[in-house]
Amino acid sequence: MPYAMKNIQSSVAEARAKGRERGIKFEQSFDLAVNFRKKELDVSKPENRFNQELVLPNALIPPPKICAFGDGEFAEAATAAGAESVVSKEDIPRLGEEKKERKNLAKSYDFFIAAVDAMPLIGRYLGQALGSRGKMPRPFPPQADLSTIVNQYHRTVRIRMRNTPTFHVKVGHEKMSDSEIADNIMAVLNFVDGKGFSARISNVSVKTTMGPTVEIPV
């Protein structure tokens, strides 16, 4: 991997400073952009596109929003674990029949989890809305430790590359330290390296929500 942690931390610190120079009144997030050389990465081929979850070393602020499908003990456990919403099995068909509601559901949450017995209904009524966004839920048995699962999702991002050889992903927040954000960035770059695509990278940059782009030197 042609990236040194000290270079990443330095770029994060610079992005933080430049973001603050603009006098933004709200706390900003940090976003990473990874661009590949177009001639070396044909994104018309499915094997050259990313659509995968990645667990980062440090939790994001605010955490990703999680919705659960299920009833009874599963629903109670999901709520206690920190899921923002729980949809009962009997509500799934109703949501599926309302185009606007199922679209809003798919857009409003970052990740979905489900009780095993809810999956057939989800596939039938919500499969198109969730599947097209790569958000089909992972099924879990009643005895699953949902607290651990939700905690993991709070450190998870989706790396998705579609029709252009680039992807953007959230890696931090102003409340996080430079080293925590740098660790998250390194995890993303290690993911790319693990896919065998690091040699095709054109450039990598980091920026705050409203700040200018800061390139991470190769």
Side-chain angles (χ1 to χ4, degrees):
M1 173 60 62
Y3 297 94
M5 181 60 74
K6 64 178 182 179
N7 289 340
I8 296 175
Q9 288 184 340
S10 176
S11 296
V12 169
E14 184 180 350
R16 188 190 298 272
K18 288 186 174 180
R20 288 175 175 171
E21 285 175 0
R22 297 197 170 185
I24 305 300
K25 300 300 183 182
F26 61 87
E27 293 176 330
Q28 301 182 69
S29 295
F30 284 79
D31 298 302
L32 182 75
V34 179
N35 301 300
F36 299 88
R37 287 186 285 273
K38 188 173 183 180
K39 293 181 179 180
E40 297 183 23
L41 195 66
D42 184 0
V43 292
S44 66
K45 298 179 179 179
E47 63 268 24
N48 287 339
R49 296 196 299 267
F50 301 137
N51 186 9
Q52 188 171 327
E53 295 175 3
L54 176 67
V55 181
L56 300 174
N58 301 295
L60 296 169
I61 302 173
K65 291 185 177 180
I66 300 165
C67 178
F69 297 100
D71 300 314
E73 291 183 8
F74 181 90
E76 293 175 4
T79 299
E84 280 75 16
S85 179
V86 177
V87 178
S88 67
K89 287 169 58 180
E90 68 177 8
D91 282 337
I92 294 173
R94 177 187 60 80
L95 286 170
E97 291 167 2
E98 298 292 335
K99 184 177 180 180
K100 185 176 181 180
E101 285 199 43
R102 67 174 182 260
K103 278 191 172 183
N104 285 339
L105 179 74
K107 290 168 61 177
S108 297
Y109 298 93
D110 300 289
F111 300 105
F112 294 83
I113 59 176
V116 172
D117 61 0
M119 288 302 294
L121 289 171
I122 296 168
R124 179 179 178 183
Y125 292 101
L126 301 174
Q128 184 176 5
L130 298 179
S132 62
R133 293 171 172 80
K135 293 185 177 182
M136 282 296 287
R138 289 169 58 191
F140 294 99
Q143 67 273 20
D145 181 359
L146 295 187
S147 293
T148 298
I149 292 162
V150 169
N151 179 63
Q152 180 173 292
Y153 271 124
H154 285 168
R155 295 185 290 117
T156 300
V157 292
R158 182 178 300 281
I159 296 179
R160 191 171 190 182
M161 183 163 61
R162 299 182 182 178
N163 301 320
T164 55
T166 183
F167 68 80
H168 299 256
V169 63
K170 180 179 175 179
V171 290
H173 188 273
E174 280 194 314
K175 288 183 177 179
M176 298 170 65
S177 68
D178 290 351
S179 61
E180 288 176 324
I181 298 169
D183 283 342
N184 284 351
I185 291 174
M186 184 60 82
V188 175
L189 297 179
N190 285 339
F191 163 83
V192 174
D193 189 46
K195 293 291 184 179
F197 287 177
S198 60
R200 305 180 189 183
I201 290 177
S202 171
N203 59 77
V204 178
S205 61
V206 63
K207 67 183 292 296
T208 55
T209 306
M210 301 298 290
T213 296
V214 175
E215 189 166 332
I216 297 175
V218 178

